[in-house]
Short mmCIF file of all heavy atoms in Angstrom, two decimals:
data_model
loop_
_atom_site.label_atom_id
_atom_site.label_comp_id
_atom_site.label_asym_id
_atom_site.label_seq_id
_atom_site.Cartn_x
_atom_site.Cartn_y
_atom_site.Cartn_z
N SER V 502 158.75 23.46 31.70
CA SER V 502 158.71 24.86 31.25
C SER V 502 157.42 25.33 30.58
O SER V 502 156.86 24.54 29.77
CB SER V 502 159.86 25.11 30.28
OG SER V 502 159.82 26.40 29.79
N ASP V 503 156.96 26.44 31.04
CA ASP V 503 155.78 27.05 30.36
C ASP V 503 156.20 28.10 29.37
O ASP V 503 155.40 28.78 28.74
CB ASP V 503 154.80 27.65 31.38
CG ASP V 503 154.09 26.58 32.19
OD1 ASP V 503 153.47 25.68 31.52
OD2 ASP V 503 154.08 26.61 33.41
N ALA V 504 157.53 28.36 29.31
CA ALA V 504 158.05 29.49 28.53
C ALA V 504 159.07 29.02 27.48
O ALA V 504 159.97 29.79 27.10
CB ALA V 504 158.64 30.49 29.45
N SER V 505 158.99 27.80 27.02
CA SER V 505 160.00 27.27 26.11
C SER V 505 159.57 27.41 24.67
O SER V 505 160.31 27.03 23.75
CB SER V 505 160.21 25.80 26.40
OG SER V 505 159.05 25.03 26.21
N GLY V 506 158.35 27.93 24.45
CA GLY V 506 157.86 28.00 23.02
C GLY V 506 157.14 26.68 22.62
O GLY V 506 156.70 26.60 21.55
N LYS V 507 157.14 25.75 23.52
CA LYS V 507 156.55 24.44 23.27
C LYS V 507 155.47 24.22 24.27
O LYS V 507 155.62 24.52 25.45
CB LYS V 507 157.58 23.34 23.36
CG LYS V 507 157.08 21.94 23.14
CD LYS V 507 158.20 20.93 23.33
CE LYS V 507 157.72 19.51 23.12
NZ LYS V 507 158.81 18.56 23.35
N THR V 508 154.27 23.73 23.83
CA THR V 508 153.23 23.47 24.75
C THR V 508 153.58 22.39 25.72
O THR V 508 153.91 21.25 25.28
CB THR V 508 151.95 23.04 23.99
OG1 THR V 508 151.61 24.03 23.00
CG2 THR V 508 150.74 22.84 24.98
N PRO V 509 153.59 22.66 27.01
CA PRO V 509 153.98 21.59 28.02
C PRO V 509 153.03 20.43 27.91
O PRO V 509 151.84 20.54 27.58
CB PRO V 509 153.81 22.30 29.39
CG PRO V 509 153.89 23.80 29.05
CD PRO V 509 153.25 23.92 27.71
N GLY V 510 153.59 19.23 28.12
CA GLY V 510 152.74 18.00 28.12
C GLY V 510 152.51 17.42 26.79
O GLY V 510 151.68 16.44 26.66
N THR V 511 153.18 17.84 25.76
CA THR V 511 152.97 17.26 24.38
C THR V 511 153.27 15.78 24.40
O THR V 511 152.55 14.96 23.83
CB THR V 511 153.91 18.02 23.36
OG1 THR V 511 153.49 19.40 23.33
CG2 THR V 511 153.69 17.35 21.98
N ASP V 512 154.44 15.43 25.02
CA ASP V 512 154.73 14.00 25.09
C ASP V 512 153.74 13.20 25.95
O ASP V 512 153.46 12.02 25.61
CB ASP V 512 156.16 13.80 25.71
CG ASP V 512 157.23 14.46 24.78
OD1 ASP V 512 157.05 14.34 23.56
OD2 ASP V 512 158.26 14.95 25.29
N LEU V 513 153.14 13.80 26.95
CA LEU V 513 152.17 13.11 27.72
C LEU V 513 150.93 12.83 26.88
O LEU V 513 150.34 11.76 26.98
CB LEU V 513 151.78 13.90 29.01
CG LEU V 513 152.92 14.21 29.95
CD1 LEU V 513 152.40 15.15 31.05
CD2 LEU V 513 153.41 12.90 30.60
N ARG V 514 150.51 13.78 26.10
CA ARG V 514 149.40 13.65 25.28
C ARG V 514 149.53 12.54 24.25
O ARG V 514 148.58 11.87 23.85
CB ARG V 514 148.97 14.93 24.63
CG ARG V 514 148.56 16.08 25.49
CD ARG V 514 148.30 17.36 24.73
NE ARG V 514 147.88 18.46 25.61
CZ ARG V 514 148.74 19.25 26.23
NH1 ARG V 514 150.05 19.10 25.99
NH2 ARG V 514 148.29 20.22 27.01
N GLU V 515 150.75 12.42 23.71
CA GLU V 515 151.07 11.44 22.72
C GLU V 515 151.48 10.05 23.32
O GLU V 515 151.70 9.12 22.56
CB GLU V 515 152.18 11.94 21.84
CG GLU V 515 151.79 13.14 21.06
CD GLU V 515 152.99 13.79 20.23
OE1 GLU V 515 154.11 13.25 20.35
OE2 GLU V 515 152.73 14.76 19.53
N GLY V 516 151.58 9.97 24.62
CA GLY V 516 151.97 8.72 25.31
C GLY V 516 153.38 8.37 25.03
O GLY V 516 153.72 7.20 25.04
N VAL V 517 154.27 9.35 24.81
CA VAL V 517 155.64 9.10 24.55
C VAL V 517 156.45 9.08 25.87
O VAL V 517 156.42 10.02 26.61
CB VAL V 517 156.21 10.21 23.66
CG1 VAL V 517 157.72 10.04 23.40
CG2 VAL V 517 155.50 10.25 22.28
N ALA V 518 157.16 7.97 26.09
CA ALA V 518 157.97 7.84 27.27
C ALA V 518 159.25 8.73 27.10
O ALA V 518 159.81 8.73 26.03
CB ALA V 518 158.38 6.38 27.51
N THR V 519 159.55 9.44 28.14
CA THR V 519 160.78 10.34 28.11
C THR V 519 161.54 10.11 29.40
O THR V 519 161.15 9.37 30.28
CB THR V 519 160.34 11.83 27.95
OG1 THR V 519 159.60 12.19 29.15
CG2 THR V 519 159.52 12.05 26.69
N LEU V 520 162.71 10.74 29.47
CA LEU V 520 163.58 10.52 30.62
C LEU V 520 162.85 10.79 31.99
O LEU V 520 162.88 9.90 32.83
CB LEU V 520 164.83 11.35 30.51
CG LEU V 520 165.96 11.10 31.54
CD1 LEU V 520 166.46 9.71 31.38
CD2 LEU V 520 166.99 12.12 31.43
N PRO V 521 162.22 11.92 32.23
CA PRO V 521 161.58 12.13 33.46
C PRO V 521 160.43 11.10 33.75
O PRO V 521 160.33 10.61 34.90
CB PRO V 521 160.98 13.53 33.36
CG PRO V 521 161.77 14.18 32.24
CD PRO V 521 162.10 13.13 31.29
N THR V 522 159.65 10.76 32.72
CA THR V 522 158.57 9.87 32.95
C THR V 522 159.05 8.47 33.23
O THR V 522 158.49 7.70 34.02
CB THR V 522 157.56 9.86 31.80
OG1 THR V 522 158.18 9.40 30.58
CG2 THR V 522 156.93 11.28 31.60
N LEU V 523 160.12 8.09 32.59
CA LEU V 523 160.74 6.75 32.76
C LEU V 523 161.31 6.67 34.22
O LEU V 523 161.16 5.57 34.82
CB LEU V 523 161.80 6.48 31.75
CG LEU V 523 161.24 6.15 30.37
CD1 LEU V 523 162.33 6.22 29.33
CD2 LEU V 523 160.58 4.74 30.35
#
Side-chain angles (χ1 to χ4, degrees):
S502 178
D503 287 309
S505 64
K507 178 181 178 183
T508 303
T511 298
D512 294 326
L513 297 175
R514 294 178 182 87
E515 296 175 356
V517 176
T519 62
L520 187 66
T522 62
L523 286 166

